[in-house]
Amino acid sequence: MKRVFSGVKPTGHLTLGNYLGAVRRWVAVDQHQADALFCVVDLHALTVDHDPARVRRLSRQAASLLLAAGLDPELCTVFVQSHVDEHARLSYLLECVATDGEMRRMIQYKEKAARERVRGGSVRLSLLTYPVLMAADILAYGTDEVPVGEDQRQHVELARDLAVRFNQRYGHAFVVPRTTSPGVAARVMNLLEPTSKMGKSDDVGPGIVYLLDEPDVVRKKVMRAVTDSGRDVVYDREERPGVANLLEILAACTGGNPEELSGVYESYGALKKDTAEAVVEILRPVQQRHKELVADPGYVEGVLRDGAERARAMARPTVDAAYRAIGLLPASSDTGAEAEAVLNAAR
């Protein structure tokens, strides 16, 4: 089976955008058709100022929500990134293959660094290098496919480049991954700023629907969504981004087509009302299952413990082989023999 890897960063509460754009596909498709790993990438949350207790709390919540959404530990591997040392081990090796120029061209670093310079500050070094850690997340598992949105495609391209470069210089140690993207609602936009992604890291949430929002809160947020000038309900991403966002959300929740749905409505109010109810209904089973999991924390802890053990067993041979290929002495003769065997098999 092909191997799929993806993850969520615990820098904020998971949103409707996370669910419609990624998690739902993981549940419905990837865990059934692939050897799939889904990770709470908590090390990535340390690249910015953070409250340690909040990171721990959001990491537990993210894991619980992934399970509540339908990820089945019998079908896939669910774990926390920092529980598997191979991520950090491989990240340093890949830093020795990546270049300073590559890192400074990454869009997220450029944007955040520019904002900090305006404020007279500076970003953390880890923000510059974290795309390499992301590449390590992917390459450690021999990943074939990485399901991501458009905003993350650049990071997967970096992983591809580093895999090819390492393989050419030191021997074939890594599978070169490719990206896959869902169709409708691959990128859900902020309800109040429909040209901006509905991001979980935003400080203010009136335009963001969180997976754990109460039904009345969901309805209020959707009914207050920004629309556009004019009265006709038209699906046009460029000229009518607000209406297009609502149509895409409704289509994703109901299995419809946004262009076809645009012909059903004669007013923005009716569109908002139906979209709000569709969101409430799609979140209802996730919220109910989440309540059950919160009441049984031992189950979630057990899933994460078992997931980390499986992930470690998958990643270690590849990372050990990469260590040996790049010129590092093995920790023991047994480890070296195992790594050499994996590298030779890859060749």
Side-chain angles (χ1 to χ4, degrees), residues 100-130:
D100 176 74
E102 284 176 314
M103 296 300 96
R104 296 186 187 279
R105 286 195 296 271
M106 302 303 287
I107 293 173
Q108 292 191 23
Y109 170 78
K110 289 172 64 176
E111 292 177 347
K112 292 181 179 180
R115 287 199 297 268
E116 284 301 315
R117 282 195 295 271
V118 170
R119 299 169 184 167
S122 179
V123 296
R124 299 184 180 190
L125 177 62
S126 56
L127 184 66
L128 177 65
T129 60
Y130 96 91

Side-chain angles (χ1 to χ4, degrees), residues 5-9 22 26 37-41 66 146-148 200:
F5 177 94
S6 198
V8 294
K9 184 164 61 174
W26 301 349
L37 300 99
F38 301 107
C39 181
V40 179
V41 287
L66 292 180
V146 187
V148 294
K200 62 181 180 299

Side-chain angles (χ1 to χ4, degrees), residues 117-191:
R117 282 195 295 271
V118 170
R119 299 169 184 167
S122 179
V123 296
R124 299 184 180 190
L125 177 62
S126 56
L127 184 66
L128 177 65
T129 60
Y130 96 91
V132 176
L133 176 58
M134 185 180 292
D137 298 339
I138 296 166
L139 299 181
Y141 297 100
T143 303
D144 298 295
E145 294 184 359
V146 187
V148 294
E150 285 298 321
D151 59 322
Q152 294 295 329
R153 188 175 291 272
Q154 186 186 34
H155 291 138
V156 181
E157 289 302 314
L158 175 68
R160 289 174 54 84
D161 292 343
L162 295 180
V164 170
R165 191 177 307 155
F166 190 102
N167 290 346
Q168 290 175 342
R169 290 180 181 178
Y170 306 113
H172 194 287
F174 300 119
V175 172
V176 180
R178 58 184 178 274
T179 60
T180 57
S181 299
V184 172
R187 196 178 189 197
V188 178
M189 312 305 280
N190 189 297
L191 294 174

